[in-house]
Amino acid sequence: MMKTFKILNQQACCDPSTGCCTPESSLPVAIIGAGPIGLAAASQLAARKQPFLLFEAGDEVGANIRSWGHVTLFSPWQYNIDVSAKMLLQQTDWQEPKGDEIPTGNELIDFYLKPLAELEQIKPFIYTNHQVIALTRQQNDKMKSKSRNDQPFVIYTEVQGELKTFEARAVLDATGTWGNPNPAQGNGVWLPSEKALSERIDYHIPNVEVNASLYANKKVAVIGGGHSAINSLLNLAELKEKSPDTDITWILRKESVEMAYGGEQNDELMARGALGSRIHQLVDEGKIQIVTPFFISSLKETDKISIIGTQRGENMVLEGFDRLIVNTGSRPNHTINGELRLNIDSTTESVTALASLIDPNEHSCGTVEAHGEAILRQPEQGFYVVGAKSYGRAPTFLMATGYEQVRSIVAFLAGDEESAKRVELSLPETGVCNSGAGGCC
């Protein structure tokens, strides 16, 4: 049986001399998820001397990123560092990375997130190994309206089998979508046959170099048409140089493989454009077999893995695979928010006000106009979904977008409505902006 520890007002006042401890602001703002966006929110709150608590399920900040730490981002440092975080770090002996260099996931943690988390304004208020399991209003379920907004949020966390509760005046859900992948099956349904193959399927960008024995001289299928799939393919192609019998098949739903190349040389993020150019060359050289458009209906395991589906209306079975890499994107999980009143789009599962801007059925651009508190506001007053999770299933999120989201929200929570309304962000173009179904980058 779990023991319950009710921990309230852990940070009741950040600095009494500043006058920040009005009745409305004496409780902290809770941030869930200590990734780049969650830590940016913490930095923004610290800069404005607003009390906060930051909960992270992993044992370090950026724990999800560590699982793909070997992967190189396509955005350089200049887009990866929050303005308030940078200002706080510059007050220490932190060595700022060069803005035009591109970090790996591990470098993002070690050279930015960890130093940020060690700052005296932030470190005492980070709770690692705290898995948030539910959010609600004090003495209210979703159905109760009377005096609802006057009640604080209650955050339930599980820590080594024990239950702890915290109170907050506002909550920012920055948990992202990592760890909740889409299945290989084209209609989005998880079938028992796919779950049974879990030990032979990667749902992330695997570290092929470290785990070469799983892929070398094997027949491997990569499923998906986005940047993650391209990264996986490029890693396999490098392995193929050393292990030439490695057989690589790329399975997409796109009408043609050219749609996956993106903006190439027209992309303002050079590294992102280079991914498309490199995979384009490998396909032209015949080093990767292409199957598209292919709609997967099921998987079957005997000694090998068979992929069952249709191509242009004809039934087809792709056979003989040793391993699958399924990079079909992720989806948000709102289980912890079940007792809160949310406005989530039925198609994209994004914040509703963002849906028309990011729906891949309508847009192929990887950029969205800057937006903040007003767009992200939920029916549950004081609750916000931010970062990648605010985009739902849409695949085009950039960290800089999330930084602007939390800057605006924190300004609003601090009473600076003028700053909350301002747009302070310029994003790079993808170089491919065709509209129409199937055109997502």
PDB file of all heavy atoms in Angstrom, residues 17 76 101 129 141 146 168 172 185 197 212 223 242-243 279 300 307 332 350 364 366 399 429 431:
ATOM      1  N   SER A  17      10.696  40.389   0.210  1.00  0.00           N
ATOM      2  CA  SER A  17      11.025  41.801   0.045  1.00  0.00           C
ATOM      3  C   SER A  17      10.551  42.371  -1.275  1.00  0.00           C
ATOM      4  O   SER A  17      10.440  43.581  -1.439  1.00  0.00           O
ATOM      5  CB  SER A  17      12.542  42.002   0.164  1.00  0.00           C
ATOM      6  OG  SER A  17      13.210  41.361  -0.914  1.00  0.00           O
ATOM      7  N   PRO A  76      20.507  24.702 -34.868  1.00  0.00           N
ATOM      8  CA  PRO A  76      21.725  25.102 -34.170  1.00  0.00           C
ATOM      9  C   PRO A  76      21.412  25.704 -32.805  1.00  0.00           C
ATOM     10  O   PRO A  76      20.259  26.001 -32.478  1.00  0.00           O
ATOM     11  CB  PRO A  76      22.349  26.134 -35.118  1.00  0.00           C
ATOM     12  CG  PRO A  76      21.200  26.681 -35.890  1.00  0.00           C
ATOM     13  CD  PRO A  76      20.221  25.559 -36.030  1.00  0.00           C
ATOM     14  N   GLU A 101      26.694  26.280 -34.222  1.00  0.00           N
ATOM     15  CA  GLU A 101      26.999  24.857 -34.115  1.00  0.00           C
ATOM     16  C   GLU A 101      25.746  24.078 -33.743  1.00  0.00           C
ATOM     17  O   GLU A 101      24.833  24.610 -33.112  1.00  0.00           O
ATOM     18  CB  GLU A 101      28.112  24.625 -33.091  1.00  0.00           C
ATOM     19  CG  GLU A 101      29.454  25.190 -33.530  1.00  0.00           C
ATOM     20  CD  GLU A 101      30.563  24.884 -32.541  1.00  0.00           C
ATOM     21  OE1 GLU A 101      30.267  24.365 -31.440  1.00  0.00           O
ATOM     22  OE2 GLU A 101      31.740  25.162 -32.870  1.00  0.00           O
ATOM     23  N   ASN A 129      12.553  12.144 -10.296  1.00  0.00           N
ATOM     24  CA  ASN A 129      11.967  10.874  -9.855  1.00  0.00           C
ATOM     25  C   ASN A 129      10.569  11.068  -9.257  1.00  0.00           C
ATOM     26  O   ASN A 129      10.130  10.276  -8.428  1.00  0.00           O
ATOM     27  CB  ASN A 129      12.878  10.159  -8.852  1.00  0.00           C
ATOM     28  CG  ASN A 129      14.188   9.732  -9.477  1.00  0.00           C
ATOM     29  OD1 ASN A 129      14.215   9.048 -10.500  1.00  0.00           O
ATOM     30  ND2 ASN A 129      15.301  10.156  -8.878  1.00  0.00           N
ATOM     31  N   ASP A 141     -14.149  17.725  -8.764  1.00  0.00           N
ATOM     32  CA  ASP A 141     -13.881  16.908  -9.936  1.00  0.00           C
ATOM     33  C   ASP A 141     -14.218  17.752 -11.170  1.00  0.00           C
ATOM     34  O   ASP A 141     -14.545  18.936 -11.057  1.00  0.00           O
ATOM     35  CB  ASP A 141     -14.651  15.584  -9.905  1.00  0.00           C
ATOM     36  CG  ASP A 141     -16.166  15.768  -9.879  1.00  0.00           C
ATOM     37  OD1 ASP A 141     -16.649  16.878 -10.223  1.00  0.00           O
ATOM     38  OD2 ASP A 141     -16.872  14.823  -9.509  1.00  0.00           O
ATOM     39  N   LYS A 146     -18.911  25.508  -9.279  1.00  0.00           N
ATOM     40  CA  LYS A 146     -19.013  26.561  -8.274  1.00  0.00           C
ATOM     41  C   LYS A 146     -17.668  26.794  -7.598  1.00  0.00           C
ATOM     42  O   LYS A 146     -17.050  25.862  -7.061  1.00  0.00           O
ATOM     43  CB  LYS A 146     -20.084  26.202  -7.240  1.00  0.00           C
ATOM     44  CG  LYS A 146     -20.331  27.322  -6.240  1.00  0.00           C
ATOM     45  CD  LYS A 146     -21.444  26.960  -5.269  1.00  0.00           C
ATOM     46  CE  LYS A 146     -21.691  28.102  -4.288  1.00  0.00           C
ATOM     47  NZ  LYS A 146     -22.774  27.789  -3.318  1.00  0.00           N
ATOM     48  N   ALA A 168      -0.728  24.043  -6.308  1.00  0.00           N
ATOM     49  CA  ALA A 168      -0.195  25.063  -7.204  1.00  0.00           C
ATOM     50  C   ALA A 168      -1.318  25.992  -7.636  1.00  0.00           C
ATOM     51  O   ALA A 168      -2.487  25.609  -7.655  1.00  0.00           O
ATOM     52  CB  ALA A 168       0.445  24.419  -8.426  1.00  0.00           C
ATOM     53  N   LEU A 172       1.687  24.097 -15.849  1.00  0.00           N
ATOM     54  CA  LEU A 172       2.126  24.008 -17.241  1.00  0.00           C
ATOM     55  C   LEU A 172       2.508  22.557 -17.519  1.00  0.00           C
ATOM     56  O   LEU A 172       3.431  22.021 -16.890  1.00  0.00           O
ATOM     57  CB  LEU A 172       3.338  24.912 -17.503  1.00  0.00           C
ATOM     58  CG  LEU A 172       3.071  26.400 -17.770  1.00  0.00           C
ATOM     59  CD1 LEU A 172       2.437  27.076 -16.557  1.00  0.00           C
ATOM     60  CD2 LEU A 172       4.362  27.109 -18.155  1.00  0.00           C
ATOM     61  N   GLN A 185       0.964   0.248 -37.797  1.00  0.00           N
ATOM     62  CA  GLN A 185      -0.268   0.098 -38.561  1.00  0.00           C
ATOM     63  C   GLN A 185      -0.806   1.437 -39.030  1.00  0.00           C
ATOM     64  O   GLN A 185      -0.911   2.393 -38.260  1.00  0.00           O
ATOM     65  CB  GLN A 185      -1.318  -0.626 -37.718  1.00  0.00           C
ATOM     66  CG  GLN A 185      -2.597  -0.902 -38.479  1.00  0.00           C
ATOM     67  CD  GLN A 185      -3.383  -2.032 -37.875  1.00  0.00           C
ATOM     68  OE1 GLN A 185      -2.838  -3.081 -37.630  1.00  0.00           O
ATOM     69  NE2 GLN A 185      -4.659  -1.808 -37.648  1.00  0.00           N
ATOM     70  N   LEU A 197       5.618  -8.167 -30.943  1.00  0.00           N
ATOM     71  CA  LEU A 197       6.917  -8.017 -31.605  1.00  0.00           C
ATOM     72  C   LEU A 197       7.776  -6.935 -30.957  1.00  0.00           C
ATOM     73  O   LEU A 197       8.797  -6.524 -31.528  1.00  0.00           O
ATOM     74  CB  LEU A 197       6.703  -7.654 -33.079  1.00  0.00           C
ATOM     75  CG  LEU A 197       6.299  -8.788 -34.012  1.00  0.00           C
ATOM     76  CD1 LEU A 197       5.766  -8.231 -35.326  1.00  0.00           C
ATOM     77  CD2 LEU A 197       7.493  -9.698 -34.275  1.00  0.00           C
ATOM     78  N   ALA A 212      25.263  -2.434 -33.065  1.00  0.00           N
ATOM     79  CA  ALA A 212      25.407  -2.874 -34.456  1.00  0.00           C
ATOM     80  C   ALA A 212      24.963  -4.311 -34.670  1.00  0.00           C
ATOM     81  O   ALA A 212      24.447  -4.659 -35.739  1.00  0.00           O
ATOM     82  CB  ALA A 212      26.861  -2.699 -34.901  1.00  0.00           C
ATOM     83  N   ILE A 223       9.993   2.383 -41.080  1.00  0.00           N
ATOM     84  CA  ILE A 223       8.628   2.775 -41.420  1.00  0.00           C
ATOM     85  C   ILE A 223       8.402   4.208 -40.965  1.00  0.00           C
ATOM     86  O   ILE A 223       8.573   4.529 -39.786  1.00  0.00           O
ATOM     87  CB  ILE A 223       7.613   1.833 -40.747  1.00  0.00           C
ATOM     88  CG1 ILE A 223       7.862   0.384 -41.203  1.00  0.00           C
ATOM     89  CG2 ILE A 223       6.182   2.259 -41.051  1.00  0.00           C
ATOM     90  CD1 ILE A 223       7.115  -0.657 -40.384  1.00  0.00           C
ATOM     91  N   LYS A 242      30.162  -0.727 -43.632  1.00  0.00           N
ATOM     92  CA  LYS A 242      31.024  -1.697 -42.940  1.00  0.00           C
ATOM     93  C   LYS A 242      30.483  -3.119 -43.048  1.00  0.00           C
ATOM     94  O   LYS A 242      31.260  -4.081 -43.016  1.00  0.00           O
ATOM     95  CB  LYS A 242      31.139  -1.314 -41.458  1.00  0.00           C
ATOM     96  CG  LYS A 242      31.688   0.083 -41.216  1.00  0.00           C
ATOM     97  CD  LYS A 242      31.639   0.426 -39.729  1.00  0.00           C
ATOM     98  CE  LYS A 242      32.100   1.850 -39.468  1.00  0.00           C
ATOM     99  NZ  LYS A 242      31.993   2.206 -38.025  1.00  0.00           N
ATOM    100  N   SER A 243      29.165  -3.228 -43.135  1.00  0.00           N
ATOM    101  CA  SER A 243      28.504  -4.538 -43.208  1.00  0.00           C
ATOM    102  C   SER A 243      27.611  -4.544 -44.443  1.00  0.00           C
ATOM    103  O   SER A 243      26.397  -4.299 -44.359  1.00  0.00           O
ATOM    104  CB  SER A 243      27.675  -4.795 -41.940  1.00  0.00           C
ATOM    105  OG  SER A 243      28.472  -4.688 -40.783  1.00  0.00           O
ATOM    106  N   ILE A 279      19.506  11.724 -47.893  1.00  0.00           N
ATOM    107  CA  ILE A 279      18.681  10.541 -48.130  1.00  0.00           C
ATOM    108  C   ILE A 279      18.298  10.463 -49.605  1.00  0.00           C
ATOM    109  O   ILE A 279      18.214   9.367 -50.187  1.00  0.00           O
ATOM    110  CB  ILE A 279      17.433  10.538 -47.217  1.00  0.00           C
ATOM    111  CG1 ILE A 279      16.847   9.129 -47.132  1.00  0.00           C
ATOM    112  CG2 ILE A 279      16.382  11.526 -47.678  1.00  0.00           C
ATOM    113  CD1 ILE A 279      17.722   8.135 -46.427  1.00  0.00           C
ATOM    114  N   LYS A 300       3.128  -9.794 -38.901  1.00  0.00           N
ATOM    115  CA  LYS A 300       3.071 -11.206 -38.567  1.00  0.00           C
ATOM    116  C   LYS A 300       4.476 -11.725 -38.303  1.00  0.00           C
ATOM    117  O   LYS A 300       5.412 -11.386 -39.029  1.00  0.00           O
ATOM    118  CB  LYS A 300       2.426 -12.009 -39.714  1.00  0.00           C
ATOM    119  CG  LYS A 300       2.268 -13.493 -39.435  1.00  0.00           C
ATOM    120  CD  LYS A 300       1.604 -14.204 -40.612  1.00  0.00           C
ATOM    121  CE  LYS A 300       1.443 -15.692 -40.351  1.00  0.00           C
ATOM    122  NZ  LYS A 300       0.817 -16.386 -41.515  1.00  0.00           N
ATOM    123  N   ILE A 307       5.288  -7.964 -43.166  1.00  0.00           N
ATOM    124  CA  ILE A 307       4.519  -6.724 -43.103  1.00  0.00           C
ATOM    125  C   ILE A 307       3.407  -6.821 -44.146  1.00  0.00           C
ATOM    126  O   ILE A 307       3.675  -6.927 -45.341  1.00  0.00           O
ATOM    127  CB  ILE A 307       5.410  -5.503 -43.373  1.00  0.00           C
ATOM    128  CG1 ILE A 307       6.567  -5.467 -42.371  1.00  0.00           C
ATOM    129  CG2 ILE A 307       4.596  -4.218 -43.305  1.00  0.00           C
ATOM    130  CD1 ILE A 307       7.607  -4.412 -42.676  1.00  0.00           C
ATOM    131  N   PRO A 332       0.030  12.620 -27.960  1.00  0.00           N
ATOM    132  CA  PRO A 332      -0.017  13.053 -26.561  1.00  0.00           C
ATOM    133  C   PRO A 332      -0.835  12.106 -25.701  1.00  0.00           C
ATOM    134  O   PRO A 332      -1.718  11.403 -26.195  1.00  0.00           O
ATOM    135  CB  PRO A 332      -0.684  14.429 -26.646  1.00  0.00           C
ATOM    136  CG  PRO A 332      -1.552  14.332 -27.856  1.00  0.00           C
ATOM    137  CD  PRO A 332      -0.804  13.457 -28.830  1.00  0.00           C
ATOM    138  N   SER A 350      -4.090  18.406 -30.714  1.00  0.00           N
ATOM    139  CA  SER A 350      -3.347  19.570 -30.263  1.00  0.00           C
ATOM    140  C   SER A 350      -4.274  20.493 -29.479  1.00  0.00           C
ATOM    141  O   SER A 350      -5.488  20.263 -29.399  1.00  0.00           O
ATOM    142  CB  SER A 350      -2.795  20.334 -31.466  1.00  0.00           C
ATOM    143  OG  SER A 350      -3.862  20.937 -32.197  1.00  0.00           O
ATOM    144  N   SER A 364       2.148  21.894 -45.143  1.00  0.00           N
ATOM    145  CA  SER A 364       3.385  21.118 -45.190  1.00  0.00           C
ATOM    146  C   SER A 364       4.549  21.908 -44.618  1.00  0.00           C
ATOM    147  O   SER A 364       5.663  21.431 -44.574  1.00  0.00           O
ATOM    148  CB  SER A 364       3.714  20.721 -46.634  1.00  0.00           C
ATOM    149  OG  SER A 364       3.997  21.857 -47.415  1.00  0.00           O
ATOM    150  N   GLY A 366       6.980  23.605 -41.856  1.00  0.00           N
ATOM    151  CA  GLY A 366       7.411  23.258 -40.509  1.00  0.00           C
ATOM    152  C   GLY A 366       7.437  24.453 -39.588  1.00  0.00           C
ATOM    153  O   GLY A 366       8.121  24.440 -38.582  1.00  0.00           O
ATOM    154  N   MET A 399      11.858  23.808 -30.688  1.00  0.00           N
ATOM    155  CA  MET A 399      12.031  24.256 -29.312  1.00  0.00           C
ATOM    156  C   MET A 399      11.777  25.748 -29.153  1.00  0.00           C
ATOM    157  O   MET A 399      11.189  26.192 -28.160  1.00  0.00           O
ATOM    158  CB  MET A 399      13.431  23.910 -28.807  1.00  0.00           C
ATOM    159  CG  MET A 399      13.565  22.501 -28.271  1.00  0.00           C
ATOM    160  SD  MET A 399      15.178  22.214 -27.527  1.00  0.00           S
ATOM    161  CE  MET A 399      16.175  21.978 -28.994  1.00  0.00           C
ATOM    162  N   GLU A 429      12.238  29.099 -42.190  1.00  0.00           N
ATOM    163  CA  GLU A 429      11.329  28.422 -43.115  1.00  0.00           C
ATOM    164  C   GLU A 429      11.875  27.047 -43.471  1.00  0.00           C
ATOM    165  O   GLU A 429      13.076  26.808 -43.472  1.00  0.00           O
ATOM    166  CB  GLU A 429      11.178  29.243 -44.402  1.00  0.00           C
ATOM    167  CG  GLU A 429      10.494  30.591 -44.205  1.00  0.00           C
ATOM    168  CD  GLU A 429       9.019  30.458 -43.888  1.00  0.00           C
ATOM    169  OE1 GLU A 429       8.469  29.364 -44.136  1.00  0.00           O
ATOM    170  OE2 GLU A 429       8.430  31.423 -43.393  1.00  0.00           O
ATOM    171  N   GLY A 431      11.309  25.732 -46.456  1.00  0.00           N
ATOM    172  CA  GLY A 431      11.615  25.703 -47.883  1.00  0.00           C
ATOM    173  C   GLY A 431      10.643  24.869 -48.676  1.00  0.00           C
ATOM    174  O   GLY A 431      10.768  24.733 -49.883  1.00  0.00           O
TER     175      GLY A 431
END
